[in-house]
Amino acid sequence: MIIVMKPNAKQESIDNIIRIIEEKGLTPHLSAGKEVTIIGVVGDKSKLLDQNLEIAEDVDRVVPVTESYKLANKKFHPEPTVVKVGNALIGGDELVIMSGPCAVESREQLFETAFAIKKAGAQILRGGAYKPRTSPYAFQGLEEEGLKFMKEAREETGLAVVCEVTSLAAIETAVKYVDMLQIGARNMQNFYLLKEAGKTGLPVLLKRGLSATIDEWLNAAEYIIAEGNPNVVLCERGIRTFETATRNTLDISAVPVIKAKSHLPIIVDPSHASGVRSYVKPLSKSAIAVGADGLMIETHPNPAIALSDGPQSLTFPQFEELCEELRPLAALMGKKF
Amino acid sequence: MIIVMKPNAKQESIDNIIRIIEEKGLTPHLSAGKEVTIIGVVGDKSKLLDQNLEIAEDVDRVVPVTESYKLANKKFHPEPTVVKVGNALIGGDELVIMSGPCAVESREQLFETAFAIKKAGAQILRGGAYKPRTSPYAFQGLEEEGLKFMKEAREETGLAVVCEVTSLAAIETAVKYVDMLQIGARNMQNFYLLKEAGKTGLPVLLKRGLSATIDEWLNAAEYIIAEGNPNVVLCERGIRTFETATRNTLDISAVPVIKAKSHLPIIVDPSHASGVRSYVKPLSKSAIAVGADGLMIETHPNPAIALSDGPQSLTFPQFEELCEELRPLAALMGKKF
Amino acid sequence: MIIVMKPNAKQESIDNIIRIIEEKGLTPHLSAGKEVTIIGVVGDKSKLLDQNLEIAEDVDRVVPVTESYKLANKKFHPEPTVVKVGNALIGGDELVIMSGPCAVESREQLFETAFAIKKAGAQILRGGAYKPRTSPYAFQGLEEEGLKFMKEAREETGLAVVCEVTSLAAIETAVKYVDMLQIGARNMQNFYLLKEAGKTGLPVLLKRGLSATIDEWLNAAEYIIAEGNPNVVLCERGIRTFETATRNTLDISAVPVIKAKSHLPIIVDPSHASGVRSYVKPLSKSAIAVGADGLMIETHPNPAIALSDGPQSLTFPQFEELCEELRPLAALMGKKF
Amino acid sequence: MIIVMKPNAKQESIDNIIRIIEEKGLTPHLSAGKEVTIIGVVGDKSKLLDQNLEIAEDVDRVVPVTESYKLANKKFHPEPTVVKVGNALIGGDELVIMSGPCAVESREQLFETAFAIKKAGAQILRGGAYKPRTSPYAFQGLEEEGLKFMKEAREETGLAVVCEVTSLAAIETAVKYVDMLQIGARNMQNFYLLKEAGKTGLPVLLKRGLSATIDEWLNAAEYIIAEGNPNVVLCERGIRTFETATRNTLDISAVPVIKAKSHLPIIVDPSHASGVRSYVKPLSKSAIAVGADGLMIETHPNPAIALSDGPQSLTFPQFEELCEELRPLAALMGKKF
């Protein structure tokens, strides 16, 4: 931690900061200049957590030096984490594709989709049973019935299944049916939910919040890992910006940034990021090329009548074509698919 | 709803859209131009909810004409809503100030604060017992013990009390102790929580999400009202932008926008919006002048050792001074305080 | 400047940084901790400008300690600057209102406006002769003819006049006709234009760029002052965010932030910030209450047929009513108006 | 254009809008519903440009139907534009790489770079002679001397050269030395400069503004093309968002969006977008995979002492390695390189 004093700070104010630091058993290092004085503190900064040095007399600002997340931090865990979901290994040398409808609408719709995506090459079936919708009047999901269909689809196809959970009740139900829990963008800082998801021990797919910084995202992952559950997969799904040509702005740089700061696997969801079907293919390719460990792509037997996110869902032939075009690219990036 | 066709759309594609609209019992209105054709549909657009016309052949885009929120919409409820919390009436001709510590830390800290803010003129005591914190290693709140202190402080001072809830469990506990539930910014689209808060019938303080549009915010309010609970107070607390001189960017325009679009009361939280103590006074004044119904301001007996948000908390003398300076301004704006 | 080393940085890398700093005649201060080492450098950091320490071996990041603007910085010039434009003094105890049409359209339109705003209380007439428009097919301004009308209006009414300039040619023409040059939001980082405006010695109204940080804005002011021209007035006119209910988001906090960081006066433009006529009055009040030194407000004899920005322009009766309502508020804030 | 009336608009207000439309020789199409009435106008909307229908009585809002740019619009020019710069063809089946130092610092630095990037495969040399810098105290460029070096480097290596211009004076000088003019991000809406660049007839590289929407960007291109100069190449270089882990946020989706909306070529600049050297390689790959026509990448003989943007510049071996890794990817995307 670095404390930057105001220009011409009184000696008394500087001494006060030094005293507080020393009282906590830490060692201050003073750099006194003509214009400003800075005070470095190296050591266990948690000892200073309950001291709001920002507002002490003559302090200009406090600059943190280390990240607040530890378990998700590559500095302390340099080896990449590989998360096993069903037979798929995310974070290693496989390219893993999760696909399926935004919302589970019926047994038929889900089964048709499951077989189609399996044939095309996907390893994991996604499908929403608890849908967070902007308007209370939009379709809210089939809940447990949807989860049952997911489990049946898993048994029929051998695909692993992932479902979003939005409450403790949903988690308690979902653990009976799915291989992986998804925490959606709107709940990325629902810390209660993160802890509960962590306690299940199931792999967790943690989507980035619409306006979450990468630092906040890794802190959210820290909540899950701190419950003893290291099986976290991050999912970049677009952030909110001023641009309206796409539903959100896919932050493709998040992939190399995460690879530099964390050991956790990261996949990309071009369907939610763009909100436009015709952009899904080029964005999927960019995600593979930038080094993502996988993709999440929405598919539907008939997007024109999908109850949720139809405009961004691929038809089965479109999905099949996409997978075909991804194969040589995955190979070039050293990924099996 | 307006469907804009692509330039040179085939007649067959236009006929297809007209057919879908008519099948739903609605009447399409065609405007055929040299460049583009547009099709207007007026009526109950929910009948078209399961038709993703955006991706029908030759459709360029679909433009919604009406807002998706109804119960929170001023167009259908032109009279302003006044919400009663304890003895305070929010949304009428009173200026209501909620104040207190970010986090309840101890009985002493809370009581000292409650008496101080009451003396200065505040009507409602705030205090966090369940704290959503970016890092799992930061203080997470006293939970039920904190709520008990809140209730005791209410009994001692006559102030109404408001507390943030972050889970169903927290709601079930809080209803025993508080006058008003707060849904925080990070949970603004935790729709499960919104519904549960709605069911309690208690007044709900709904903070705006960090990157929520005003439209999404009013839809979140709609979730609460749709449970039969019209007692919603909105709270603007800053949005996330590129600017880093303040913790968030206070969207002061949100006040007149909400007044134009909704009948719900709106207050402003300059403490969270700015994150800097010295900006709280000028921003409080701007909020009153722009027409807000109240303020939420963080105070602490000793901000230098506050466990949460110390740098933005006012001392008691600072809060008293603020209230004194607000009085003539409130009078000028026609508000009792 | 503070150099934060990576965890477990090699001693050799640390020595290298120390060597570079010492070679420049500066003194490094080392804080060696268990996890990380930080190196403080206090002194003339411009000596290190040509050393990109960020990419030296084992460096994690470099944290600047002081702002790069000096002449615009309150730390070095604590007394507020007062800028004289005609008879108006901006930055002292007057409330100064600039008003007029977005674009000068005709002699009649301008004169009618000039007399109306003068009667209501405005001190400065604004009017665009060189219009930066998003589309090349929109009205681009009357250029020199418009400036002549401005000068005539000045002579007739005694109002000072301000005009936007968008090129060196425009500056060279404008200096013959106006009292103050305006640099618009889109040109805030047109550094060539800033220097040329600075050289004229005329007062400069510097609007904030749509996505400029406050730090960048003050650096833009520094360009003007560095040419020997201290007469800079800042104008907050809304920043670009995700919210679409208003044309831009008025960053009301910019006023106290500027007052804390700089000695320059700051006014607010609620017309461009909101883009909606009915929000201009409440936002004007919030600007006065937060401590702004003045306002810039668009008016037009008949907004319905204005060639630019009609939807946000006030009619004369609306402007008069606004000024009337601002008087007691200005008095309360200690401003003469 | 679609005019949406307020709920319960008076018949008189509706008649008024119809009258205005008909007076302009256009045909209104009415859709009268139970809740709202909408009025479609199809035809030459420029006839309504001087009517601010937004503020007419009982109008809720006006929705534009067609884009304001025509010459840059794919709807009217479906064939992709190919821009010739030296021997390079941008926008066809070549992958074109522009590279060089952020700022030309010396003849030696530039020549060394030119030979190195040519050897690695780049076709165009970039180098700044007029540098827009946030602070007036940072290095501002060698100006004409730098341009002379560029021309000499072109003669020695056969590479085409591109230089940023920031004023009319710079354009007048640059046309004597370079093959392509660059308009930088900060000047994207410097409409005066756009027109002057257009008049030269030279190819123009138009960088996207930090907070420019894609629609505004294409309107900026329209300014250049409207001067009779169709040789515009767009360059996505990152937009400003809340995320600080990268200098800007690369909007990778801009590539497919531009390909859908315009016929102009688009390249990507991962150096400015990320500001971090180690992210340049993965982002370059993502740009090729998403369908970009080329790249702009900063290189320097010794980034550690670069006068501008050192931290994001590649060394020559790094650039060579990058080009090698791009070759198979370009081939996969059907691009010659």
Side-chain angles (χ1 to χ4, degrees), chain B:
Chain B
M1 186 184 289
I2 298 154
I3 296 102
V4 181
M5 304 300 294
K6 288 188 179 151
N8 310 314
K10 290 182 289 295
Q11 187 56 42
E12 181 190 324
S13 305
I14 296 170
D15 293 345
N16 177 45
I17 299 297
I18 291 173
R19 186 188 49 75
I20 293 174
I21 294 169
E22 289 179 340
E23 275 177 14
K24 296 288 168 180
L26 299 167
T27 309
H29 291 85
L30 202 73
S31 309
K34 216 181 61 177
E35 254 179 41
V36 295
T37 291
I38 59 181
I39 303 168
V41 196
V42 183
D44 181 0
K45 80 173 171 185
S46 65
K47 290 182 184 169
L48 282 167
L49 264 184
D50 59 349
Q51 298 293 325
N52 297 305
L53 298 177
E54 292 93 332
I55 50 172
E57 184 78 11
D58 281 339
V59 169
D60 191 51
R61 61 203 169 101
V62 173
V63 182
V65 165
T66 47
E67 293 89 1
S68 50
Y69 53 92
K70 302 294 171 197
L71 303 170
N73 198 325
K74 195 178 180 180
K75 284 181 187 160
F76 309 113
H77 305 77
E79 287 306 305
T81 288
V82 177
V83 176
K84 190 171 189 308
V85 182
N87 296 320
L89 292 168
I90 312 175
D93 60 357
E94 285 179 27
L95 178 70
V96 177
I97 298 188
M98 309 183 182
S99 187
C102 184
V104 179
E105 297 167 15
S106 69
R107 200 176 180 286
E108 292 64 37
Q109 170 237 27
L110 190 66
F111 271 55
E112 210 184 322
T113 308
F115 282 106
I117 65 156
K118 186 180 182 182
K119 180 165 157 267
Q123 301 95 322
I124 299 177
L125 176 67
R126 63 147 287 153
Y130 301 87
K131 298 303 308 167
R133 302 300 295 272
T134 301
S135 164
Y137 310 121
F139 176 61
Q140 310 270 320
L142 294 182
E143 308 200 346
E144 187 159 5
E145 193 188 8
L147 293 173
K148 283 181 185 161
F149 296 154
M150 290 292 281
K151 192 176 182 185
E152 286 176 45
R154 175 173 61 166
E155 283 157 11
E156 288 289 321
T157 60
L159 292 168
V161 297
V162 57
C163 243
E164 178 168 357
V165 287
T166 55
S167 66
L168 175 56
I171 290 179
E172 288 170 347
T173 310
V175 293
K176 296 183 274 177
Y177 302 103
V178 304
D179 301 288
M180 184 182 216
L181 301 174
Q182 177 183 315
I183 303 286
R186 286 170 190 75
N187 281 309
M188 194 205 84
Q189 289 196 315
N190 181 342
F191 302 114
Y192 174 80
L193 198 67
L194 295 173
K195 289 179 195 171
E196 295 297 336
K199 287 176 193 161
T200 65
L202 279 184
V204 177
L205 182 68
L206 180 62
K207 291 203 144 189
R208 182 177 182 184
L210 268 79
S211 64
T213 63
I214 287 174
D215 192 80
E216 289 168 342
W217 193 12
L218 288 172
N219 269 296
E222 189 87 1
Y223 266 93
I224 298 167
I225 308 175
E227 297 294 331
N229 184 348
N231 304 304
V232 178
V233 176
L234 302 170
C235 180
E236 162 64 33
R237 42 81 71 213
I239 57 173
R240 181 154 275 181
T241 71
F242 61 83
E243 179 58 66
T244 55
T246 42
R247 185 164 153 181
N248 297 289
T249 296
L250 177 62
D251 182 7
I252 197 77
S253 314
V255 177
V257 173
I258 287 291
K259 293 285 177 196
K261 293 183 179 291
S262 180
H263 50 91
L264 296 174
I266 175 167
I267 69 168
V268 168
D269 173 350
S271 307
H272 282 91
S274 67
V276 178
R277 193 159 68 174
S278 59
Y279 300 152
V280 170
K281 194 200 281 185
L283 294 178
S284 294
K285 291 181 179 178
S286 79
I288 305 302
V290 90
D293 297 300
L295 295 169
M296 175 171 258
I297 290 170
E298 290 189 335
T299 43
H300 194 281
N302 184 357
I305 57 163
L307 293 183
S308 179
D309 282 348
Q312 73 203 30
S313 296
L314 299 190
T315 61
F316 301 151
Q318 288 169 335
F319 182 67
E320 213 167 321
E321 184 187 301
L322 170 64
C323 289
E324 278 320 298
E325 294 192 25
L326 291 182
R327 280 181 208 289
L329 185 56
L332 194 60
M333 296 297 298
K335 294 271 188 189
K336 286 183 224 156
F337 175 61

Side-chain angles (χ1 to χ4, degrees), chain C residues 175-244:
Chain C
V175 292
K176 296 182 275 177
Y177 302 104
V178 304
D179 301 288
M180 183 181 216
L181 301 175
Q182 177 182 314
I183 303 287
R186 286 169 189 76
N187 281 309
M188 193 205 83
Q189 288 196 317
N190 181 342
F191 302 114
Y192 173 80
L193 199 67
L194 295 174
K195 290 178 195 171
E196 295 297 335
K199 287 177 193 160
T200 66
L202 279 183
V204 177
L205 182 69
L206 179 62
K207 292 202 144 189
R208 181 178 184 184
L210 268 80
S211 65
T213 62
I214 287 174
D215 192 79
E216 288 168 342
W217 193 12
L218 289 172
N219 269 296
E222 188 86 359
Y223 266 93
I224 298 168
I225 309 175
E227 296 294 331
N229 185 348
N231 303 303
V232 178
V233 176
L234 302 170
C235 180
E236 162 63 33
R237 43 78 73 212
I239 57 174
R240 181 153 275 179
T241 71
F242 61 83
E243 178 58 67
T244 56

Side-chain angles (χ1 to χ4, degrees), chain D residues 54-69:
Chain D
E54 291 92 332
I55 52 173
E57 185 78 13
D58 282 341
V59 169
D60 190 53
R61 60 201 170 103
V62 173
V63 182
V65 165
T66 48
E67 294 88 2
S68 51
Y69 52 92

Side-chain angles (χ1 to χ4, degrees), chain C residues 99-122:
Chain C
S99 187
C102 184
V104 179
E105 296 168 14
S106 70
R107 199 177 181 284
E108 293 63 37
Q109 170 236 27
L110 189 66
F111 272 55
E112 211 184 318
T113 308
F115 282 105
I117 64 157
K118 186 181 183 183
K119 181 164 158 268

Side-chain angles (χ1 to χ4, degrees), chain D:
Chain D
M1 187 184 288
I2 299 154
I3 296 103
V4 181
M5 304 301 293
K6 286 187 180 151
N8 310 316
K10 291 182 288 295
Q11 185 57 42
E12 182 189 322
S13 305
I14 295 170
D15 292 345
N16 177 45
I17 299 296
I18 290 173
R19 186 186 50 74
I20 293 174
I21 294 169
E22 289 179 342
E23 274 176 16
K24 297 288 167 181
L26 299 167
T27 309
H29 291 87
L30 203 74
S31 309
K34 217 181 60 177
E35 255 178 40
V36 295
T37 291
I38 58 180
I39 303 169
V41 196
V42 182
D44 180 1
K45 80 174 173 184
S46 65
K47 291 181 184 169
L48 283 167
L49 263 186
D50 59 351
Q51 298 294 324
N52 298 305
L53 299 177
E54 291 92 332
I55 52 173
E57 185 78 13
D58 282 341
V59 169
D60 190 53
R61 60 201 170 103
V62 173
V63 182
V65 165
T66 48
E67 294 88 2
S68 51
Y69 52 92
K70 301 294 170 198
L71 303 170
N73 198 324
K74 194 177 179 180
K75 284 181 187 160
F76 309 114
H77 305 77
E79 286 306 304
T81 288
V82 177
V83 177
K84 190 170 189 310
V85 182
N87 297 319
L89 293 168
I90 313 175
D93 61 357
E94 285 179 28
L95 177 71
V96 177
I97 299 188
M98 308 182 183
S99 187
C102 184
V104 179
E105 296 168 13
S106 70
R107 198 176 182 285
E108 293 62 37
Q109 171 236 26
L110 190 67
F111 272 54
E112 210 183 321
T113 309
F115 281 107
I117 64 157
K118 186 179 182 186
K119 180 165 157 264
Q123 301 94 323
I124 299 178
L125 176 66
R126 64 148 287 154
Y130 302 87
K131 297 304 308 167
R133 302 299 296 272
T134 301
S135 163
Y137 310 122
F139 176 61
Q140 309 270 320
L142 294 183
E143 307 201 344
E144 187 160 4
E145 193 190 6
L147 292 173
K148 283 182 186 162
F149 296 155
M150 289 293 280
K151 191 176 181 186
E152 286 176 45
R154 175 175 59 169
E155 283 159 10
E156 288 288 322
T157 59
L159 292 168
V161 298
V162 57
C163 243
E164 179 168 356
V165 287
T166 56
S167 66
L168 175 55
I171 289 178
E172 288 170 346
T173 309
V175 292
K176 296 183 274 177
Y177 302 104
V178 304
D179 301 287
M180 183 181 216
L181 300 174
Q182 177 183 316
I183 303 286
R186 287 168 189 76
N187 281 309
M188 193 206 84
Q189 289 196 315
N190 181 341
F191 302 115
Y192 174 80
L193 199 67
L194 294 174
K195 289 179 195 170
E196 295 297 336
K199 287 176 193 161
T200 66
L202 279 183
V204 177
L205 183 67
L206 180 63
K207 291 201 146 190
R208 182 178 182 183
L210 266 79
S211 65
T213 62
I214 287 174
D215 193 79
E216 290 169 341
W217 192 13
L218 289 172
N219 269 294
E222 189 86 1
Y223 267 93
I224 298 168
I225 308 176
E227 297 294 332
N229 184 348
N231 303 304
V232 178
V233 176
L234 303 170
C235 180
E236 161 65 32
R237 44 78 72 212
I239 57 174
R240 181 154 276 182
T241 71
F242 61 83
E243 179 57 66
T244 56
T246 42
R247 185 164 156 182
N248 298 288
T249 296
L250 178 62
D251 181 8
I252 197 77
S253 314
V255 177
V257 173
I258 287 290
K259 293 284 176 197
K261 292 183 179 291
S262 179
H263 50 90
L264 296 173
I266 177 168
I267 70 168
V268 169
D269 174 350
S271 305
H272 283 91
S274 67
V276 178
R277 193 159 67 175
S278 59
Y279 300 152
V280 170
K281 194 200 280 185
L283 294 178
S284 295
K285 290 181 180 176
S286 78
I288 305 302
V290 90
D293 296 301
L295 296 169
M296 175 173 256
I297 290 170
E298 290 189 336
T299 43
H300 194 283
N302 184 358
I305 57 163
L307 294 182
S308 178
D309 283 348
Q312 72 202 33
S313 296
L314 299 190
T315 61
F316 300 151
Q318 288 168 336
F319 181 68
E320 212 167 322
E321 184 186 301
L322 170 64
C323 289
E324 279 319 299
E325 293 192 24
L326 292 182
R327 280 180 208 289
L329 185 55
L332 195 59
M333 295 297 297
K335 294 269 189 191
K336 286 182 225 159
F337 175 60

